[in-house]
């Protein structure tokens, strides 16, 4: 390769994107990598040895880094704290090696985009003199609340009498809407410590990315841009292009699956169902329901008399009531994993019973599917509030005990309300409206699309200066 061509490659920019190796993190970060590649950057995803084989995305390179548990990842570690520490040690070393490996090629890495769970990746980027930018996989509302805790502006635990939590520009949050860790910091201390450590070196970051868009979270007219509340460059929603803007040819799926999806079976089953008649239920990749909750969901779905398609991961299957699958064969299909987006896009789906993970929430919103929220953990409570009260695209199921169980009658009540209740039409109309706003954000000339274009131009031309000048906002 001649000198001029080499200079051209450097000018083009090469980003390495590092997701936390769970499905809900790989999906949006990989999608961002694809989006950047479609805009002319070279993009490489660096993920753990254990997950590297699960990723396939044309135009995006895939490289392995180590979390210290190359055979099996998190499942092989004794606990979260040990896992995150090992990831920092081994991840720093192997990321550094990866950057060095590319240094001598025609495409040296110019920017490290890392899951905000990995603040150490910014230190590695700086040691190598390249840009570093965290990617936050939850809402800007949740990020800005955690930031306030980090700054000592909110003291934990947040108690009932401290609510509603009212931050100018953000929607007010009542006690049940708060991220779980803020109410019970002792529930999962290692995870909370990691969430707060995201902010430790954020002042050194060259960009901060958020998987959301302005219209979605603001309380107008108090703030005009989420940037007034949270110094994030908003680039979301990161959903495969075919479902929103169609700018990336053939981009019909994320390109990563940690489990084998039973697509053919689901599609064949859905084809025979009337439009809008099926309840799709899934609790994401991480939630483990209590046996009681599993039973209540099972009987709630059955007794609703509706068609249902329920994702029950292999690890959860033992909690299903005995004989449930056989007994409900006529009305229901239980699968261990599916391509969720394909299902949500299917005309037979009328409603999504969801744990309200941020990706699932965005996906349903982008596809105009109304939801029944059954949040269980972390930011899911806050997302459920948005679903019901801010966007008006669903309801949040009420819990019947202090373990957070949603009973079978309550589930049926919620399904009636969303599928054919008085407000059902209104919810569908709202869902359609949010779908259009999401499309607008990522289509050419939309806010997220513009932000991505600006980043691509900056990373190629050294526009870091501009980003630095903005850093006074919110004290970052
Ligand atoms: N998902 C999937 N198939 C399933 C269930 C989930 O592809 O059967 C995907 C879903 O589309 C989403 C991700 O897994 O992108 C889950 O992310 P989310 O933030 O909703 O929840 P988490 O798993 O992180 O709790």
């Amino acid at each position: 390769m001649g000198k001029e061509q080499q200079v051209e490659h450097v000018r083009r920019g090469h980003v390495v994107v590092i997701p936390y190796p769970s499905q809900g993190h790989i999906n949006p970060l990989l999608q961002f990598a694809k989006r950047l590649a479609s805009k002319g950057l070279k993009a490489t995803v660096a993920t753990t040895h254990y997950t590297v084989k699960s990723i396939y995305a044309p135009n995006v390179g895939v490289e392995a880094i180590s979390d210290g548990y190359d055979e099996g990842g998190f499942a092989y570690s004794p606990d979260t704290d040990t896992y995150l520490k090992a990831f920092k040690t081994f991840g720093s070393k192997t990321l550094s090696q990866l950057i060095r490996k590319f240094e001598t090629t025609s495409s040296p890495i110019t920017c490290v985009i890392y899951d905000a769970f990995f603040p150490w990746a910014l230190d590695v980027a700086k040691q190598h003199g390249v840009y570093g930018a965290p990617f936050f996989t939850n809402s800007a509302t949740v990020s800005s609340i955690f930031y306030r805790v980090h700054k000592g502006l909110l003291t934990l635990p947040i108690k009932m009498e401290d609510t509603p939590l009212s931050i100018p520009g953000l929607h007010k949050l009542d006690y049940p809407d708060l991220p779980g860790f803020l109410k019970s910091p002792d529930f999962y201390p290692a995870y909370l410590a990691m969430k707060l450590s995201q902010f430790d070196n954020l002042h050194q970051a060259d960009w901060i990315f958020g998987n959301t868009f302005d219209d979605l979270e603001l309380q107008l007219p108090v703030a005009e841009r989420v940037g007034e509340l949270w110094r994030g460059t908003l680039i979301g929603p990161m959903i495969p292009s075919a479902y929103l803007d169609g700018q990336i040819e053939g981009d019909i799926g994320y390109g990563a699956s940690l489990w084998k999806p039973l697509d053919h079976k689901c599609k064949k089953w859905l084809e025979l169902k009337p439009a809008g008649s099926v309840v799709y239920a899934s609790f994401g990749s991480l939630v483990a329901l209590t046996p009681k909750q599993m039973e209540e969901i099972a009987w709630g779905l059955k007794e609703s008399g509706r068609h249902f398609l329920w994702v029950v991961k292999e690890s959860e299957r033992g909690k299903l009531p005995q004989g449930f699958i056989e007994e409900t064969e006529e009305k229901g299909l239980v699968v261990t994993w599916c391509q969720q987006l394909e299902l949500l896009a299917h005309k037979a789906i009328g409603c999504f019973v969801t744990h309200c993970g941020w990706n699932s929430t965005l996906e349903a919103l982008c596809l105009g599917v109304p939801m029944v929220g059954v949040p269980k953990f972390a930011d899911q409570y806050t997302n459920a509030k948005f679903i019901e009260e801010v966007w008006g695209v669903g309801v949040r199921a009420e819990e019947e005990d202090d373990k957070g169980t949603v009973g079978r009658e309550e589930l049926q009540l919620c399904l009636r309300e969303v599928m054919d209740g008085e407000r059902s039409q209104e919810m569908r109309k709202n869902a359609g409206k949010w779908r259009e706003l999401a499309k607008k954000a990522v289509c050419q000339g939309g806010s997220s699309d513009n932000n991505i274009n600006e980043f691509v131009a900056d990373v190629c031309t050294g526009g870091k200066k501009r980003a630095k000048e903005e850093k006074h906002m919110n004290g970052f």
Side-chain angles (χ1 to χ4, degrees):
M1 184 177 283
K3 189 135 188 125
E4 262 172 40
Q5 275 171 300
Q6 280 188 22
V7 170
E8 189 49 46
H9 266 85
V10 174
R11 208 179 287 141
R12 185 179 158 209
H14 180 180
V15 292
V16 63
V17 178
I18 313 170
Y20 182 84
S22 74
Q23 195 72 63
H25 287 244
I26 294 173
N27 285 357
L29 275 100
L30 175 59
Q31 193 55 38
F32 192 37
K34 284 193 275 172
R35 182 66 68 170
L36 294 174
S38 79
K39 303 265 187 196
L41 292 183
K42 180 174 167 65
T44 300
V45 166
T47 189
T48 57
H49 288 274
Y50 179 62
T51 50
V52 91
K53 283 192 250 22
S54 320
I55 296 183
Y56 173 73
N59 305 323
V60 172
V62 185
E63 296 275 346
I65 56 169
S66 179
D67 58 359
Y69 295 92
D70 295 344
E71 294 306 308
F74 179 69
Y76 280 46
S77 71
D79 53 58
T80 308
D81 200 29
T82 313
Y83 181 69
L84 292 171
K85 281 187 180 135
F87 210 143
K88 180 178 176 179
T89 307
F90 291 91
S92 299
K93 201 165 129 206
T94 46
L95 173 60
S96 199
Q97 284 163 358
L98 186 68
I99 297 174
R100 267 204 302 274
K101 176 177 130 180
F102 280 102
E103 263 165 16
T104 53
T105 70
S106 57
S107 318
I109 287 164
T110 42
C111 182
V112 174
I113 297 174
Y114 60 94
D115 198 304
F117 281 15
F118 300 145
W120 48 262
L122 181 58
D123 301 334
V124 176
K126 293 293 143 193
Q127 281 154 22
H128 287 269
V130 303
Y131 297 149
F135 183 111
F136 283 76
T137 55
N138 46 23
S139 69
T141 303
V142 168
S143 298
S144 59
I145 293 173
F146 274 98
Y147 172 65
R148 279 171 170 78
V149 176
H150 164 81
K151 291 288 277 182
L153 300 170
L154 284 172
T155 315
L156 300 186
I158 299 181
K159 300 196 193 76
M160 182 84 89
E161 55 267 31
D162 303 327
T163 57
L165 186 66
S166 181
I167 297 169
L170 290 183
H171 291 273
K172 278 199 181 82
L173 297 177
D174 290 315
Y175 192 70
D177 311 329
L178 293 174
F181 300 114
L182 305 185
K183 292 178 276 188
S184 317
D186 298 332
F187 170 67
Y188 201 164
Y191 190 83
L192 177 62
M194 183 272 291
K195 289 288 288 176
L196 295 175
S197 76
Q198 299 179 126
F199 305 96
D200 285 348
N201 58 1
L202 212 56
H203 57 283
Q204 290 169 6
D206 298 294
W207 295 270
I208 299 168
F209 293 115
N211 187 14
T212 182
F213 59 100
D214 271 337
D215 287 336
L216 204 52
E217 297 194 47
L218 284 177
Q219 202 193 30
L220 295 166
V222 184
E224 278 183 16
R225 290 177 49 237
V226 170
E228 291 172 33
L229 309 156
W230 161 242
R231 192 185 74 82
T233 299
L234 307 189
I235 46 78
M238 273 300 127
I239 304 287
S241 179
Y243 298 98
L244 287 178
D245 59 303
Q247 289 189 79
I248 311 177
E249 213 186 325
D251 188 30
I252 55 166
Y254 286 108
S257 204
L258 299 182
W259 296 276
K260 194 172 160 17
L262 299 168
D263 293 339
H264 184 63
K265 196 170 174 186
C266 294
K267 272 198 241 162
K268 213 169 133 206
W269 188 85
L270 281 176
E271 282 317 319
L272 302 171
K273 305 293 175 285
S277 70
V278 177
V279 176
Y280 167 61
S282 170
F283 294 84
S285 63
L286 302 172
V287 164
L289 297 178
T290 61
K292 165 119 170 87
Q293 180 64 88
M294 195 76 168
E295 207 172 300
E296 292 303 309
I297 300 282
W299 297 131
L301 288 172
K302 179 172 187 255
E303 287 165 17
S304 76
R306 298 169 193 275
H307 295 294
F308 66 86
L309 199 162
W310 186 10
V311 177
V312 178
K313 283 176 54 205
E314 201 58 57
S315 54
E316 293 280 280
R317 259 178 122 78
K319 295 179 198 164
L320 279 172
Q322 232 182 352
F324 177 79
I325 295 185
E326 298 74 30
E327 265 179 57
T328 54
E329 237 166 22
E330 260 184 46
K331 285 280 183 179
L333 178 66
V334 179
V335 295
T336 46
W337 195 249
C338 67
Q339 293 285 1
Q340 179 161 297
L341 268 170
E342 272 186 29
L343 254 67
L344 289 173
H346 199 287
K347 62 178 183 342
I349 301 294
C351 162
F352 180 16
V353 176
T354 172
H355 70 310
C356 308
W358 187 237
N359 296 290
S360 294
T361 303
L362 287 177
E363 289 162 11
L365 204 76
C366 289
L367 289 163
V369 180
M371 289 170 261
V372 171
V374 183
K376 292 288 163 203
F377 178 61
D379 61 336
Q380 295 158 15
Y381 305 106
T382 317
N383 303 339
K385 183 230 163 68
F386 274 78
I387 290 168
E388 177 168 296
E389 291 177 34
V390 179
W391 307 321
V393 295
V395 295
R396 174 179 172 172
E398 265 186 46
E399 297 158 0
E400 67 180 21
D401 59 23
D402 60 2
K403 295 197 173 58
T405 313
V406 168
R408 63 190 80 178
E409 286 84 16
E410 171 66 8
L411 180 61
Q412 289 171 65
L413 209 73
C414 291
L415 288 175
R416 267 201 298 280
E417 213 174 331
V418 173
M419 297 282 272
D420 34 42
E422 250 175 53
R423 293 190 317 165
S424 170
Q425 281 312 317
E426 184 67 22
M427 286 180 204
R428 268 168 223 288
K429 211 170 112 207
N430 289 339
K433 179 190 109 180
W434 285 105
R435 171 166 164 74
E436 287 313 310
L437 286 169
K439 270 189 185 175
K440 194 174 137 209
V442 293
C443 277
Q444 233 173 9
S447 58
S448 294
D449 193 58
N450 285 344
N451 285 340
I452 295 171
N453 288 341
E454 227 173 90
F455 166 69
V456 170
D458 283 356
V459 93
C460 293
T461 59
K464 188 166 89 171
K465 238 170 69 203
R466 184 194 51 76
K468 279 253 187 295
E469 279 158 14
E470 280 180 6
K471 276 203 177 127
H472 63 278
M473 294 179 78
N474 280 328
F476 280 119

